[in-house]
Amino acid sequence: MTPDLLAPLDLAFWNIESAGHPMHLGALGVFAAPSPGDAAHAADLLAARAAAVPGLRMRIRDVWHPLGLHRPGPDGLRGALAKGLRQPLGFGGAAREPDPRFDPLNHIHLHAPVPGFHAAAGRLMQRPLERGLPPWEAHVLPAAAETGFAVLFKFHHALADGLRALTLAAAILDPVDLPRRGPGPAAPRRGPLPDVRALPGLVRDALGDLGRALDIGARVARSTLATRPVPALTAAPTGTRRTAGVAVDIDDVHLVRKAVGGTVNDVLIAVVAGALRRWLEERGEPVEGLAPRALIPVSRRRPRTAQPPGNRLSGYLTHLPVGVADPLRRLAAVRAAMDRNKDAGPDRGAGAVALLADHVPALGHRLGGPLVGQAARLWFDILVTSVPLPGFGLRLAGHPLTEVYPFAPLARGQSLAVAISTYRGQVHYGLVADAEAVPDLHRLARAVTEEVETLITVCAP
């Protein structure tokens, strides 16, 4: 089987990783179970099912190739030509390929009972994945003081983005009867050679991509000027990790949204801004005029169409109005900033740096990865991302999934990241931080709850 070369953004994630800054996503799922032995049975099921999921068998290995192009896929040579016009030639890269020695027992780990799921999750999140194996793990954590168990899933960002990671994790949970989708749009028939009539358009698109790249680069440069650093969010990294989670009723979020307008996402981001203000004030740090830069990833996947397994991300860069004291004014400021981002679109602006990966040859990712990782703190102060979850209930060994907290990776120089998911009527905030830089992460989690309560109070009729 021919190896599947990593897309440029996947290659970037693979190369910016270091021992102290692993680039894996995480999700801590909590399951209700009546018996202490249910966790061991769940671990056995996960191992048995993992062997049958092709995506979980894929390892990543370094390769060298002469042109820096992906091999022709469904688009044939025309698609390869289009990629060639958009991406410089280069040497070196990495590819996904099935691991002939794949053993699920290397990836499914049953732990001794733990006193707290998040305490265990933090220690496990700081441990890099084994790069010689398919880069994912599942850790089954029985509860020490009560029944029930949790599973921490870890997927390297080069293997899967949030949506792909969800698909892979769901494949080893209990089968679910999904509504059947109708057929997607038919792909146009393509000949064996590029249509010469399309060449001017391909060249025009390539020049347009170059123009966007230059525009993004200029905006990134401007965004790093005249910014006030936030030491609590960009402290010296130690490579340690701790996690925390907060569950919020989605009905409360809708109450606020209906009272002030905007979107659910506007409210959720405003809650982060308000929680940061409370947390920093409690620490005795100055907050007036503070507006840390938040990177908000945006998926570029299209629904109902076939997509490659790699990352397809852009992003918005927005200033969180932490320095604004009034919670409704903070929410209005977030709404206005997000409206401006949406009007501009996810393919332009300082937040769209991920798109620049397409313009870097493979060798550039290999050699420049460490430098890019170190530059993250100059680009943004905190990552705030949303992870899509299904509307139906998930189970493992018949036990319902009751809570799920997503965790984002921390780039070098970043002390805190926030990931948000909505599941079964609850919004779950997953917080991951450098354990030594943010020893009081539990206080920030409490501040999230307090900010939601404040918004409800000021918005109540």
Side-chain angles (χ1 to χ4, degrees), residues 57-117:
R57 305 176 67 94
M58 303 299 286
R59 67 180 179 181
I60 297 176
R61 69 177 180 88
D62 293 332
V63 297
W64 293 87
H65 54 101
L67 293 177
L69 296 177
H70 298 282
R71 61 184 175 85
D75 293 339
L77 293 177
R78 179 184 177 187
L81 177 60
K83 291 185 178 74
L85 288 170
R86 291 195 296 265
Q87 179 180 339
L89 304 183
F91 294 86
R96 299 181 193 86
E97 64 178 9
D99 185 352
R101 299 170 298 173
F102 175 71
D103 183 353
L105 297 181
N106 290 329
H107 303 269
I108 309 294
H109 307 281
L110 176 63
H111 294 254
V114 295
F117 295 142

Side-chain angles (χ1 to χ4, degrees), residues 157-331:
H157 220 328
L159 180 69
D161 59 10
L163 185 58
R164 175 69 173 167
L166 169 65
T167 302
L168 292 173
I172 53 177
L173 299 179
D174 291 356
V176 182
D177 291 329
L178 298 176
R180 185 169 298 177
R181 285 184 173 181
R189 298 187 64 181
R190 304 186 187 276
L193 294 175
D195 185 345
V196 295
R197 293 172 297 180
L199 292 180
L202 294 176
V203 173
R204 185 173 58 249
D205 291 345
L207 293 176
D209 287 346
L210 179 60
R212 280 193 294 272
L214 294 174
D215 182 51
I216 292 169
R219 290 173 184 267
V220 169
R222 287 196 297 269
S223 73
T224 61
L225 301 175
T227 58
R228 175 178 162 187
V230 187
L233 302 181
T234 55
T238 66
T240 58
R241 296 289 182 270
R242 71 174 67 242
T243 72
V246 183
V248 174
D249 196 318
I250 189 63
D251 289 339
D252 292 338
V253 177
H254 281 300
L255 185 152
V256 175
R257 179 191 62 80
K258 291 176 182 177
V260 300
T263 68
V264 165
N265 201 44
D266 294 341
V267 177
L268 299 179
I269 295 171
V271 167
V272 174
L276 287 174
R277 180 183 175 90
R278 292 171 182 272
W279 175 59
L280 292 171
E281 283 184 320
E282 194 173 343
R283 281 177 151 215
E285 299 189 22
V287 296
E288 297 309 313
L290 197 62
R293 296 159 300 173
L295 176 63
I296 302 173
V298 177
S299 175
R300 298 173 68 238
R301 291 184 180 275
R302 296 185 217 166
R304 292 180 173 268
T305 58
Q307 295 283 1
N311 287 274
R312 297 180 61 81
L313 293 173
S314 182
Y316 297 139
L317 193 68
T318 190
H319 289 268
L320 298 180
V322 172
V324 177
D326 181 79
L328 292 183
R329 287 183 55 211
R330 277 198 301 271
L331 180 50

Side-chain angles (χ1 to χ4, degrees), residues 14 79 91 113 138 149 229 236 239-240 274 299 343 354 388 404 431 435 441 457 460:
W14 188 246
F91 294 86
F149 63 90
T240 58
S299 175
D343 288 342
V404 57
L431 312 178
L441 188 63
T457 300

